[in-house]
Amino acid sequence: MEKSFISGRIWVLLDQNKRLIEDIDTDQIYHNAFLHITEVSQMGQYALGNLEGWKDFSKKASPGDVLIAGRNFGAGSSRQHAVGCFISLKIGLIIAPSFGAIYFRNAVNSGFPVLRCQELDELVAKKALETGDEIKVNFRSGEGLNVSRNTHFKAEPMSAVQYDIYEAGGLFNYGKRISKG
Amino acid sequence: MGKTIIEKIIQDHTKEEVKAEKIVWMDLDIRSARDFGGPNVVKNYEEEYGDAPVADRKKTFFTFDLCVPPSSLRYADNQQICREFARGQRIEVFDVDRGIGSHVLMEEGLARAASTVVGTDSHLNILGAVGSFGQGMGDVDITFAFKTGKTWFEVPQTVKVLIKGSFSSPTTAKDLTLYILKKLGTKKAALKAVELYGEAVRGLDLPGRITLCSMVTEMAGIIGFVPEFGDSLKAEIENFSGTIFSPHKADEDCSYSDTLEIDVSGLSPQVAVPFAPDNVQDVSELKGVKIDSGFIGSCTNGRTEDLALASQILKGKKIKEGVTLKVVPATKRVYKEILERGILEDLFRSGAIISNPGCSGCAEGHIGLTGKGEVQVSTGNRNFAGKQGKGKTYLASPAVVAASCLTGHITNPKDV
């Protein structure tokens, strides 16, 4: 299966002023009250459950959807749950100008696609990306296409390590693959 | 081209040539997991590797600090899951009596200068205080680290921050930390290592360095180092940890992504206003803000020196009626020290609640949670909305928290 492309419907995480919400921390993504849960399948219901304006996200999202977020997405704690909740909902990709360092690693290691895109704020400001649009993104090149508007954008491509881990289906599978060498 | 401190530490742990922004595979000296994340590590490990031994059981630890002893059945279960795995693998557990894992690793000399340490605590970069590269990671990373002793890491760029000027009591390392956080925000050090220089940081003792380095997390930084120090600090750390303190220094010709200056001359006590740790104001701007409760503890301000500072202010006085003060020592060693030095008694007589060591409210542990409408002034490191309950948390030094608990409103310690 070709894994270097993904296409899906986007959710743009805007605040009341129609700007991308920045610094969304892991407590807003997945509150610490539910950290005792260890089954990924149970995590989806709490996704964005503590983020003002988006608490019903888990009910609105469909498998394959793409999340567009502001800079420093996933700041804060190290909880894997904050990635697991999106895997649980079968979200296809998260794009943000930047991510919390641990969050980014957690996503990569889970084989969950995350891409950085510096021009995201600008794209959102000029309404080149709006909730409901269908987009297609190439992980290797970073080339993005807004299918609904037939406009293009550019994200940073995955690094070789990130793509290899994603392609293997996560860090564990990748580790087994390289140890067989 | 010379190397920065983080580049040197990583270079010690990999055969690949290290430079900023390159991803390398590095060896890990210590791999740890807590009662949060730990059960997920066990689950991952058993699913992926069955009962295969960890890479090195003597470099692998559990540290229970989140909800200790457990106040809910789910945490009791999760801790037992970790204990049973640890017994099977013959891994040491620092159990529910020991306190905050990052501090225990420093006290035990396991996290030492120039070492690499990972765990499921996002504040593990606090270990920069002793010159160690500590890094919080998720449970997948930690599972992999248990099994292989390695991790991939993108070598961060380093930003050099020169702290100019000096300050005096009642301003503390926490006020300095909050002020630096105010100036750097969550952007200027984001995803970077930070090297802090200058008179005001050179003179910091170990607890002060712990406070400062702990909040590099809130700056969105990877790790913070305070490379310059006097002879007293070397002796202090060696006595504290029972290990030789020999940290790396940056090369003269190393490359920084940015050099910044922050002037802290005559700095007053600082307070972070809800709901962001970098939303920092001078204590004078918050005069009259009424509080319901105070909290002294956390990995940021839970050392003996922090509690001693609070007890100096509280000794012989009574906390304002209607205000509760919650004190949580960072570790069992701190508990022993405050007991033996009479600090515990002074705190108790002033009306404070003193709990057993741990992380407490920062992670929905025992004490430090707020109800809707409650205003708390805390020595912790985060005041995000909803983090410690539905109330509002202001972040401040142990001195400001103690003074505020005497008056019932946010107070400069010099006014009590």
Side-chain angles (χ1 to χ4, degrees):
Chain A
M1 192 181 97
E2 177 56 76
K3 294 188 79 173
S4 61
F5 281 94
I6 196 166
S7 50
R9 182 182 61 145
I10 62 173
W11 293 96
V12 184
L13 293 184
L14 299 177
D15 61 17
Q16 288 169 335
N17 302 318
K18 306 289 176 203
R19 295 175 59 136
L20 278 174
I21 309 173
E22 300 188 340
D23 299 314
I24 295 175
D25 70 74
T26 52
D27 265 305
Q28 291 170 300
I29 297 171
Y30 191 98
H31 195 263
N32 63 38
F34 309 111
L35 289 181
H36 59 286
I37 292 169
T38 57
E39 289 296 332
V40 169
S41 63
Q42 298 297 310
M43 295 175 189
Q45 58 189 311
Y46 304 112
L48 303 183
N50 193 33
L51 180 65
E52 213 47 59
W54 290 89
K55 293 180 180 177
D56 58 349
F57 178 74
S58 68
K59 295 186 183 72
K60 297 193 295 197
S62 303
D65 286 356
V66 172
L67 210 57
I68 307 285
R71 59 168 284 286
N72 200 21
F73 184 78
S77 91
S78 62
R79 68 196 61 163
Q80 201 90 34
H81 305 66
V83 175
C85 64
F86 295 119
I87 295 174
S88 169
L89 292 175
K90 299 188 168 62
I91 297 300
L93 166 70
I94 301 176
I95 312 177
S98 63
F99 292 83
I102 303 173
Y103 191 86
F104 192 80
R105 293 187 65 83
N106 288 346
V108 170
N109 289 337
S110 298
F112 179 75
V114 281
L115 289 180
R116 291 179 277 221
C117 174
Q118 299 303 329
E119 58 182 35
L120 211 51
D121 290 290
E122 198 185 319
L123 289 164
V124 168
K126 66 181 189 191
K127 299 191 173 176
L129 288 171
E130 289 194 292
T131 292
D133 287 357
E134 190 83 13
I135 64 165
K136 188 174 183 184
V137 187
N138 183 322
F139 297 152
R140 281 189 186 277
S141 68
E143 300 289 342
L145 170 67
N146 186 329
V147 179
S148 305
R149 294 162 200 271
N150 198 26
T151 53
H152 296 265
F153 61 96
K154 184 89 167 73
E156 291 174 31
M158 287 185 179
S159 68
V161 168
Q162 184 186 359
Y163 187 80
D164 289 348
I165 293 173
Y166 159 73
E167 209 265 330
L171 182 64
F172 298 131
N173 290 341
Y174 176 74
K176 286 169 191 166
R177 183 180 290 184
I178 55 171
S179 67
K180 278 175 197 154
Chain B
M1 174 73 84
K3 286 190 163 59
T4 63
I5 293 172
I6 189 64
E7 288 169 352
K8 286 190 174 184
I9 297 176
I10 295 176
Q11 189 66 77
D12 287 348
H13 293 84
T14 184
K15 291 189 181 102
E16 301 172 61
E17 176 60 27
V18 167
K19 59 177 186 184
E21 298 183 277
K22 182 178 169 186
I23 295 177
V24 298
W25 284 91
M26 68 173 187
D27 296 327
L28 299 167
D29 296 320
I30 301 292
R31 316 104 194 203
S32 64
R34 307 200 286 167
D35 46 340
F36 144 68
N40 305 66
V41 170
V42 170
K43 181 169 178 284
N44 293 340
Y45 195 98
E46 289 177 341
E47 282 173 10
E48 296 296 329
Y49 309 119
D51 56 4
V54 296
D56 187 340
R57 69 181 185 87
K58 296 206 159 155
K59 294 181 175 178
T60 311
F61 300 89
F62 284 96
T63 60
F64 296 163
D65 54 15
L66 229 98
C67 196
V68 290
S71 62
S72 73
L73 295 174
R74 60 188 202 229
Y75 269 105
D77 285 343
N78 282 346
Q79 287 160 2
Q80 190 60 17
I81 287 168
C82 296
R83 274 188 207 105
E84 287 176 7
F85 177 81
R87 282 173 198 155
Q89 292 272 358
R90 295 187 301 140
I91 293 169
E92 186 170 356
V93 177
F94 296 110
D95 218 303
V96 294
D97 60 322
R98 288 301 298 270
I100 302 174
S102 59
H103 284 239
V104 172
L105 293 176
M106 286 189 277
E107 288 177 351
E108 294 288 325
L110 292 166
R112 52 197 295 180
S115 67
T116 54
V117 181
V118 297
T120 57
D121 177 356
S122 60
H123 278 102
L124 208 61
N125 49 10
I126 197 171
L127 302 179
V130 293
S132 166
F133 179 29
Q135 202 64 40
M137 291 184 175
D139 57 68
V140 172
D141 257 319
I142 300 301
T143 309
F144 190 81
F146 271 31
K147 183 64 175 68
T148 66
K150 293 180 191 299
T151 196
W152 61 273
F153 209 83
E154 182 175 337
V155 181
Q157 295 181 321
T158 299
V159 55
K160 180 179 185 176
V161 182
L162 182 61
I163 310 295
K164 296 179 73 177
S166 61
F167 54 82
S168 58
S169 172
T171 302
T172 67
K174 181 60 167 291
D175 306 297
L176 170 71
T177 302
L178 290 172
Y179 191 71
I180 293 172
L181 181 53
K182 176 184 186 173
K183 292 293 172 186
L184 295 182
T186 59
K187 293 182 185 173
K188 289 182 180 165
L191 307 177
K192 292 179 180 174
V194 185
E195 293 180 9
L196 295 130
Y197 295 88
E199 184 189 339
V201 293
R202 185 189 304 130
L204 288 176
D205 61 6
L206 178 59
R209 284 163 188 251
I210 287 173
T211 301
L212 176 55
C213 293
S214 75
M215 291 192 73
V216 171
T217 308
E218 280 60 51
M219 300 169 198
I222 296 289
I223 183 90
F225 298 111
V226 185
E228 297 178 327
F229 56 90
D231 290 343
S232 63
L233 185 88
K234 181 172 165 66
E236 183 189 358
I237 292 180
E238 292 184 348
N239 184 43
F240 174 88
S241 64
T243 58
I244 301 295
F245 180 61
S246 172
H248 278 302
K249 290 202 180 308
D251 288 328
E252 293 265 340
D253 61 339
C254 71
S255 173
Y256 295 108
S257 67
D258 212 350
T259 301
L260 305 168
E261 283 188 11
I262 298 174
D263 189 350
V264 298
S265 303
L267 186 71
S268 321
Q270 303 289 302
V271 178
V273 175
F275 292 104
D278 61 338
N279 187 15
V280 174
Q281 296 182 14
D282 196 285
V283 68
S284 63
E285 295 173 70
L286 296 163
K287 227 173 186 169
V289 173
K290 287 194 174 172
I291 62 161
D292 298 292
S293 53
F295 173 83
I296 300 174
S298 83
C299 59
T300 295
N301 277 120
R303 296 305 311 175
T304 304
E305 291 76 0
D306 297 312
L307 275 46
L309 177 60
S311 79
Q312 281 163 24
I313 292 166
L314 295 168
K315 188 173 183 175
K317 295 177 180 160
K318 284 281 178 202
I319 289 160
K320 177 93 171 172
E321 200 180 330
V323 173
T324 50
L325 171 59
K326 301 164 268 191
V327 178
V328 184
T331 66
K332 192 173 186 174
R333 186 195 284 185
V334 171
Y335 202 106
K336 180 171 182 279
E337 288 171 356
I338 64 166
L339 185 68
E340 289 174 354
R341 288 172 51 180
I343 296 164
L344 194 153
E345 183 174 349
D346 290 339
L347 292 169
F348 177 83
R349 289 193 186 282
S350 75
I353 305 163
I354 301 111
S355 119
N356 61 303
C359 296
S360 58
C362 286
E364 215 205 11
H366 280 188
I367 70 174
L369 301 180
T370 58
K372 194 174 182 182
E374 184 174 345
V375 176
Q376 170 178 251
V377 57
S378 164
T379 67
N381 43 52
R382 288 180 182 151
N383 60 351
F384 300 130
K387 173 83 180 163
Q388 291 106 354
K390 290 182 176 168
K392 288 182 174 176
T393 295
Y394 291 78
L395 305 177
S397 74
V400 169
V401 174
S404 303
C405 286
L406 290 176
T407 63
H409 52 85
I410 292 178
T411 300
N412 188 326
K414 74 176 171 59
D415 295 335
V416 295

